[in-house]
C-alpha cells in the first residue's frame, strides 16, 4: 500500500533514496524496499547513470547530462527553456512549479528545480524529457514533505528554493546552514540587502575567484543582492535537502 509506505517512511525518517528503475516482489518487507532504494542496487544494472552534485547551476547540470548522453548542452538548455516543456512541468507538478518561474527577470525558469541526486535509467538512449522530468519529480517528492510548513510560514515553494540555493552556495561541509539562513532572514527583516557573493557571480554569468567593488555595485542585474533588497528573482543553483530545511527552519 503506497499510502501506508509513505507514512512509514516519514515516521522512520528515512531519506536519501536514489532515483532509478527498480524491481520489487510482493514478498518484500518495507525495510527491504527502503534498503534497496537507499543503496541504489539498481545502479549495477543501469544502462545510464547520471550524478548531479549539490550547488550546481542549470548550465553546469546540462553539461553533466550532455557528457553522459548523446544530447548536446544546447539541446538540453533549449528543452529546459521551451515553453511547451515548462507548461507540461507546471501541469504535472502544480504545487511545485508555479507561475513564479515565468518572472521576466528569471534567467532560466527551471533553475533550482532539478534535484541533485544520482539518477539511473535502464536505457542508454533515455528520452531527454524523461531524464529532466525525473529530476524535477525528485524535487517535487522532497518539497511535498514541507508543503504544510511552507504554507504556515506564508512562503512559496519558489521562495524556499531560492533561499535554499543561496544557503547552498554559501555553505561548506563545516558550516551550519541554519545560521546562514538566519543571517539572510535578519537582513531582510531590517530591509538590508542580502549581500551574498554567489548572486553577483550568477549575475555576471561566469565564475570569478575575486569580486571587486565594481562587480558589487555596477553589475546592474536583478540577481545582484548588493544592489537589490529581498529575494533574487529565483534560485541560483540546485540545493540539497539540508539547505531546504535550513531555509525553512533557520537558527534563532
Amino acid at each position: 500500500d503506497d499510502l501506508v509506505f509513505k507514512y512509514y517512511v516519514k515516521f522512520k525518517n528515512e531519506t536519501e533514496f536514489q532515483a532509478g528503475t527498480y524491481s520489487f516482489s510482493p514478498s518484500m518487507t518495507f525495510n527491504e524496499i527502503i534498503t534497496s532504494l537507499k543503496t541504489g542496487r539498481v545502479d549495477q544494472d543501469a544502462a545510464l547513470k547520471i550524478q548531479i552534485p549539490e550547488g550546481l547551476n542549470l548550465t553546469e547540470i546540462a553539461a553533466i547530462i550532455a557528457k553522459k548522453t548523446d544530447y548536446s548542452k544546447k539541446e538540453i538548455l533549449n528543452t529546459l527553456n521551451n515553453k511547451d516543456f515548462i507548461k507540461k512541468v507546471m501541469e504535472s507538478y502544480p504545487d511545485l512549479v508555479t507561475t513564479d518561474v515565468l518572472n521576466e527577470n528569471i534567467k532560466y525558469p527551471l533553475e533550482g528545480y532539478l534535484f541533485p541526486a544520482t539518477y539511473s535509467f535502464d536505457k542508454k538512449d533515455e528520452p531527454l524529457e524523461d531524464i529532466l522530468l525525473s529530476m524535477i519529480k525528485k524535487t517535487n517528492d522532497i518539497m511535498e514533505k514541507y508543503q504544510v510548513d511552507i504554507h504556515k510560514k506564508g512562503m512559496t515553494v519558489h521562495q524556499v528554493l531560492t533561499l535554499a540555493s543561496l544557503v547552498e552556495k554559501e555553505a561548506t561541509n563545516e558550516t551550519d546552514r541554519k545560521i546562514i539562513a538566519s543571517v539572510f532572514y535578519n537582513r531582510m527583516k531590517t530591509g538590508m540587502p542580502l549581500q551574498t557573493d554567489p548572486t553577483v557571480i550568477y549575475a555576471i554569468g561566469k565564475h570569478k575567484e575575486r569580486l571587486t567593488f565594481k562587480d558589487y555595485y555596477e553589475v546592474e542585474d536583478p540577481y545582484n543582492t548588493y544592489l537589490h533588497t529581498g529575494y533574487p528573482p529565483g534560485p541560483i543553483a540546485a540545493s540539497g535537502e539540508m539547505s531546504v530545511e535550513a531555509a525553512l527552519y533557520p537558527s534563532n
Side-chain angles (χ1 to χ4, degrees), residues 1-212:
D1 186 299
D2 61 335
L3 186 61
V4 175
F5 180 74
K6 184 181 289 187
Y7 281 114
Y8 182 81
V9 166
K10 190 168 186 178
F11 176 73
K12 300 283 284 185
N13 198 28
E14 296 285 0
T15 58
E16 313 228 347
F17 295 149
Q18 299 201 43
T21 303
Y22 291 82
S23 294
F24 298 117
S25 69
S27 64
M28 293 177 73
T29 65
F30 281 177
N31 286 335
E32 287 173 336
I33 293 172
I34 288 170
T35 300
S36 179
L37 291 170
K38 289 178 76 172
T39 57
R41 285 204 309 248
V42 70
D43 289 354
Q44 299 169 14
D45 304 318
L48 173 63
K49 183 178 175 183
I50 302 174
Q51 185 173 9
I52 307 298
E54 298 169 347
L56 299 188
N57 62 40
L58 208 65
T59 60
E60 293 169 324
I61 293 173
I64 289 176
I65 298 172
K67 190 174 180 179
K68 291 286 186 177
T69 65
D70 292 330
Y71 305 111
S72 68
K73 181 179 176 181
K74 182 179 179 182
E75 183 180 2
I76 295 164
L77 289 174
N78 284 344
T79 300
L80 286 165
N81 291 326
N82 182 276
K83 290 182 180 178
D84 291 335
F85 180 70
I86 294 169
K87 183 180 178 183
K88 180 190 291 188
V89 171
M90 292 175 73
E91 289 172 350
S92 299
Y93 305 107
D95 292 332
L96 174 72
V97 186
T98 67
T99 53
D100 287 334
V101 305
L102 303 179
N103 183 324
E104 62 179 10
N105 290 325
I106 288 179
K107 295 186 187 296
Y108 298 102
L110 295 175
E111 181 80 82
Y113 286 83
L114 275 61
F115 197 79
T118 299
Y119 297 89
S120 301
F121 304 95
D122 55 9
K123 293 188 294 185
K124 180 69 178 172
D125 58 345
E126 190 78 17
L128 177 57
E129 285 198 5
D130 290 353
I131 293 173
L132 300 176
L133 285 170
S134 68
M135 297 177 179
I136 296 167
K137 180 183 182 302
K138 177 69 172 173
T139 305
N140 185 71
D141 292 344
I142 295 293
M143 299 306 293
E144 202 172 38
K145 299 186 293 185
Y146 303 106
Q147 284 288 358
V148 172
D149 285 352
I150 292 172
H151 182 71
K152 282 182 180 177
K153 288 177 177 288
M155 298 177 73
T156 65
V157 172
H158 190 71
Q159 287 175 327
V160 173
L161 288 175
T162 298
L163 193 63
S165 73
L166 305 187
V167 172
E168 189 68 56
K169 295 298 286 185
E170 283 281 6
T172 65
N173 289 335
E174 298 78 29
T175 304
D176 190 329
R177 286 168 165 77
K178 293 188 175 186
I179 292 176
I180 295 173
S182 72
V183 171
F184 287 147
Y185 279 117
N186 289 341
R187 289 179 180 178
M188 283 193 286
K189 281 177 186 175
T190 62
M192 177 183 172
L194 292 179
Q195 294 186 339
T196 174
D197 288 13
T199 62
V200 181
I201 293 170
Y202 189 81
I204 293 170
K206 62 180 180 181
H207 182 70
K208 290 188 74 173
E209 291 293 336
R210 207 176 179 86
L211 292 174
T212 64

